[in-house]
Amino acid sequence: DGGITQSPKYLFRKEGQNVTLSCEQNLNHDAMYWYRQDPGQGLRLIYYSQIVNDFQKGDIAEGYSVSREKKESFPLTVTSAQKNPTAFYLCATSDRAYSNQPQHFGDGTRLSIL
Amino acid sequence: AQSVAQPEDQVNVAEGNPLTVKCTYSVSGNPYLFWYVQYPNRGLQFLLKYITGDNLVKGSYGFEAEFNKSQTSFHLKKPSALVSDSALYFCAVRDGSAGNNRKLIWGLGTSLAVNP
């Protein structure tokens, strides 16, 4: 989706290291989301934010942290407490949380352990 | 509790044949239903949605879906499959009724393979 940029496309984490995944959007959407995708497990919600300076835990927030200081940006930090971080991470946006409009997705970041 | 089921992990069809990818759901209120497609190493792309109104919804790339309230289903269909339709398809549902749990719930995905 051209309006959502995730970087980097590939990321490698060393033992005990925190890494940060970037998500930037120019769609002027209020709501932003982070999902984790593992083979055969579909999409699992990590964190979401309905508005600047506010965010809520999703289903699998342990070992992750986020911030929402600007409307355009919702970075995800994978901390050393996340023992199994290898996955495909997807950022999404929607005009509002709980609306009838679809979510829009970036092209993902694939995180692997070195 | 809200849930979505995609009963088939994989669907195989021959090019030119009709395709169906199945989705059933459970919500306590009014369902908002969505279909997305994912190509390898890409994000999800929105195909179509049902919110209210006509039970047959038309979407992108020639796909359509039929909302069936009595069977709580929202199957994705296409009259003539293309090899380029081969991808992973996700169904998602949200309870649209105020006051209920309104989180978006995702199915586990169905891998569609269209054979030439």
Side-chain angles (χ1 to χ4, degrees), chain A residues 43-99:
Chain A
L43 274 66
R44 293 184 289 168
L45 183 64
I46 305 173
Y47 269 99
Y48 69 102
S49 168
Q50 298 185 58
I51 199 168
V52 174
N53 292 323
D54 179 69
F55 48 83
Q56 286 84 39
K57 293 181 179 179
D59 300 316
I60 56 163
E62 186 174 349
Y64 300 97
S65 66
V66 293
S67 63
R68 185 88 186 275
E69 297 176 1
K70 298 187 302 182
K71 187 174 186 177
E72 301 79 17
S73 178
F74 191 41
L76 173 74
T77 296
V78 184
T79 75
S80 57
Q82 173 48 247
K83 297 306 179 189
N84 182 23
T86 298
F88 191 49
Y89 290 86
L90 289 162
C91 176
T93 72
S94 64
D95 61 342
R96 292 173 290 116
Y98 311 133
S99 78

Side-chain angles (χ1 to χ4, degrees), chain B residues 10 15 21 30 33 38 40 44 54 57 60 77 81 92 97 104:
Chain B
Q10 179 149 348
E15 188 174 28
V21 183
N30 297 320
L33 292 151
Q38 184 181 31
L44 278 67
D54 214 348
V57 179
S60 306
K77 300 183 180 186
S97 303
L104 189 62

